[in-house]
Amino acid sequence: MDLTPLEDVQAAVLRECLPLTPRAVDLQDALGCVTSAPLEAEELVPPFDNTAMDGFAVRAVDTTDPPVELKVVSTLAAGADPTGVAVGTGEAVRIMTGAPMPPGADAVVMVERTRTEGDVAVIEHHAEPGEHVRRAGDDLKPGDVVVDAGTVLTPAHLGVLASLGYARVPVFPRPRVGVLSTGDELVEGAAELRPGQIRDSNRPTLLALVRQSRFTAVDLGLARDDEATITSAIEHGLATCDALVTSGGVSVGDFDYVKAVLDRLGSMRWWQVAIKPAKPLAFGTVEGKPVFGLPGNPVSSMVSFELFARPALRQMGGHRRTFRRQVEAVVAEPIRRRPDGKLHLARVVATMGDDGRWRVRPVAGQGSHQLAAAAAANALALVPDGDGLAEGTTVKVMVLSDDTPS
Ligand code: AMP
Ligand code: MG
């Protein structure tokens, strides 16, 4: 079977993974979601003129020749209703941060620039009109666009929306992603291993990758290599999820029932991608939902998720930037390989030097079964076909974490 270039497969996958239908979700559930419409302010923020300081609300003209003595006529704490309170000539109101400005006052003198003697405030500062006053609408006015459509919501966005009284926001929902492991050799959790058995490591990895991307992870369990079991697991997944990720059973082995089941249920494509690891990939839609049949080898399934599933699922979640960040890095230690017509995705440790340049070193253990070695890496170097990369050359690198490594 011919090898298909990585970009062609990625493009074909993305074409079939359209954004989910937007809906309103609770503000608390919206972190990291993408807005589907622009959100406008319908209120003033702050809603009224208020003080930025603890001190005295005054008429600025009364303070032109400090020190001056002003009669304290009232006190306003944050949350106080200012109705009936006013500052006349020669008067002041004791006021706390966030409290509304009383009518008549146009400035606040911070408490540190005052003394109190009984009901008299001695003002030792010449206040300018507007000093320490936060004006109504300083931050937002009705009609201001607070968040554009297509924005990835951050904690600050949620706070701004809360300040405007938004309880729900229209977003592309997070895709619900079902994860299924397949293979007769697999054992769940800490159960004793009998001859020939290994533990299921792909499911925990893939579920975590789903969660790390802020999608909703649904554990579909472990299916034996038989058609009926795999069929019912996949059907259950399709009924409860927006997309499925399976691992195992998509290579050319004799017992690859995933292949038979998916072909029967949906319209699948079976690729041999010109990459190493993660050469085999099954992708298609079943009942209109994307299904990713990832290879079984632990490093392959992880790399395949990164290259194909994550970008497609992000697109379903409304993200415009679907791919991981790519940077150019200096090869700090040779990356060895042989020509084989494939792009190699070497597991590397990427660090940023004091000069602001990225450097990469391959981890020891580049086998597709060596998950422990891969776990030490934080990036994939895109090593072109050929004889590898010498120290000092540069390479494109896909950074797997959003945190900048130290
Ligand atoms: P397969 O793609 O089913 O032919 O599996 C390829 C390799 O990956 C075999 O060595 C499997 O034992 C291994 N493998 C498959 N699924 C898993 C899994 N969930 N966890 C760990 N290894 C797996
Ligand atoms: Mg298998």
Side-chain angles (χ1 to χ4, degrees):
M1 198 171 172
D2 284 345
L3 297 182
T4 311
L6 173 63
E7 304 74 50
D8 294 3
V9 179
Q10 285 175 320
V13 169
L14 282 174
R15 266 199 298 280
E16 299 206 37
C17 296
L18 302 179
L20 297 171
T21 307
R23 65 162 177 256
V25 305
D26 285 349
L27 204 55
Q28 303 92 292
D29 298 329
L31 180 65
C33 287
V34 180
T35 50
S36 57
L39 302 178
E40 287 187 8
E42 291 176 9
E43 301 174 354
L44 292 168
V45 178
F48 49 84
D49 291 358
N50 68 94
T51 171
M53 289 285 171
D54 293 334
F56 289 91
V58 299
R59 293 170 175 256
V61 288
D62 285 353
T63 68
T64 39
D65 192 14
V68 292
E69 296 190 352
L70 300 177
K71 183 164 189 281
V72 180
V73 293
S74 189
T75 297
L76 287 172
D81 180 348
T83 311
V85 179
V87 174
T89 301
E91 293 179 346
V93 162
R94 181 198 304 280
I95 196 164
M96 314 306 158
T97 304
M101 287 296 287
D106 61 357
V108 170
V109 179
M110 59 201 282
V111 71
E112 292 84 345
R113 315 298 271 303
T114 68
R115 282 182 285 123
T116 319
E117 292 168 5
D119 64 352
V120 168
V122 182
I123 307 293
E124 298 168 334
H125 168 69
H126 173 191
E128 297 292 332
E131 195 168 329
H132 299 316
V133 177
R134 305 191 286 212
R135 292 267 169 233
D138 246 3
D139 201 12
L140 291 169
K141 296 187 174 53
D144 286 352
V145 174
V146 191
V147 178
D148 275 319
T151 302
V152 183
L153 290 170
T154 63
H157 288 133
L158 300 186
V160 174
L161 293 168
S163 76
L164 288 164
Y166 277 91
R168 294 163 75 74
V169 284
V171 296
F172 296 97
R174 299 171 205 288
R176 282 174 62 83
V177 185
V179 176
L180 176 71
S181 281
T182 69
D184 273 346
E185 73 280 32
L186 300 177
V187 167
E188 175 109 37
E192 196 182 331
L193 294 179
R194 291 202 302 274
Q197 293 187 321
I198 60 166
R199 298 188 206 286
D200 175 9
S201 62
N202 289 352
R203 196 154 40 105
T205 309
L206 292 168
L207 286 167
L209 283 166
V210 167
R211 281 190 219 106
Q212 186 195 44
S213 301
R214 293 190 175 283
F215 313 132
T216 303
V218 179
D219 187 351
L220 299 177
L222 180 54
R224 304 274 140 229
D225 282 326
D226 83 77
E227 271 203 59
T229 315
I230 294 174
T231 304
S232 80
I234 287 177
E235 282 179 343
H236 168 69
L238 290 167
T240 53
C241 300
D242 300 309
L244 299 189
V245 175
T246 70
S247 74
V250 299
S251 48
V252 284
D254 281 345
F255 300 100
D256 290 339
Y257 293 107
V258 175
K259 212 164 183 164
V261 171
L262 289 177
D263 268 338
R264 184 161 48 75
L265 295 178
S267 92
M268 300 297 294
R269 296 187 60 181
W270 302 88
W271 275 292
Q272 298 291 310
V273 192
I275 55 174
K276 183 182 176 180
K279 183 174 67 157
L281 173 73
F283 172 77
T285 52
V286 183
E287 296 168 15
K289 297 183 175 174
V291 177
F292 298 86
L294 309 185
N297 275 309
V299 179
S300 306
S301 67
M302 188 173 79
V303 168
S304 191
F305 182 92
E306 285 289 349
L307 295 178
F308 305 109
R310 188 177 187 274
L313 294 165
R314 278 177 65 83
Q315 183 161 284
M316 291 173 73
H319 287 267
R320 294 172 181 178
R321 192 177 59 78
T322 51
F323 289 106
R324 291 270 198 199
R325 185 161 53 127
Q326 276 195 16
V327 298
E328 196 174 84
V330 179
V331 175
E333 206 175 284
I335 305 180
R336 301 179 205 289
R337 59 159 294 169
R338 294 267 166 262
D340 59 4
K342 296 181 209 156
L343 174 76
H344 285 202
L345 297 135
R347 276 71 74 204
V348 296
V349 176
T351 49
M352 192 188 280
D354 293 339
D355 57 359
R357 298 190 73 185
W358 291 84
R359 283 178 182 66
V360 291
R361 293 170 196 281
V363 299
Q366 294 283 333
S368 62
H369 58 298
Q370 291 175 298
L371 188 58
N378 62 357
L380 299 173
L382 281 58
V383 185
D385 195 17
D387 287 308
L389 298 171
E391 190 179 327
T393 58
T394 57
V395 63
K396 261 202 223 146
V397 172
M398 197 174 131
V399 184
L400 296 181
S401 136
D402 289 335
D403 310 322
T404 305
S406 49

Coordinates of all heavy atoms in Angstrom, one line a residue, residues 182-183 185 225 248-249 256, ligand 2:
T182 N -8.5 -2.0 22.5 CA -8.8 -3.3 21.9 C -7.6 -4.2 22.0 O -6.5 -3.7 21.7 CB -9.4 -3.3 20.5 OG1 -8.3 -2.9 19.6 CG2 -10.5 -2.3 20.3
G183 N -7.8 -5.5 22.3 CA -6.7 -6.4 22.2 C -6.9 -7.5 23.3 O -7.1 -7.2 24.4
E185 N -4.6 -9.4 24.4 CA -3.5 -9.4 25.3 C -3.6 -8.5 26.5 O -2.7 -8.5 27.4 CB -2.2 -9.2 24.5 CG -1.9 -7.7 24.1 CD -2.7 -7.3 22.9 OE1 -3.8 -7.8 22.7 OE2 -2.2 -6.4 22.1
D225 N -10.6 -9.0 21.4 CA -10.6 -9.1 19.9 C -11.7 -10.0 19.4 O -11.4 -11.2 19.0 CB -9.2 -9.6 19.5 CG -8.1 -8.5 19.5 OD1 -8.4 -7.4 19.2 OD2 -7.0 -8.8 19.9
G248 N -5.4 0.0 18.7 CA -5.2 -1.4 18.4 C -6.0 -1.8 17.2 O -7.0 -1.2 16.9
G249 N -5.6 -2.9 16.6 CA -6.4 -3.6 15.6 C -6.5 -2.9 14.3 O -7.5 -3.2 13.5
D256 N -7.3 -8.3 13.5 CA -7.6 -6.9 13.6 C -9.1 -6.7 13.3 O -9.5 -6.2 12.3 CB -6.7 -6.1 12.7 CG -5.3 -6.0 13.3 OD1 -5.1 -6.3 14.5 OD2 -4.3 -5.8 12.5
Ligands
MG2 MG -4.3 -5.8 18.7

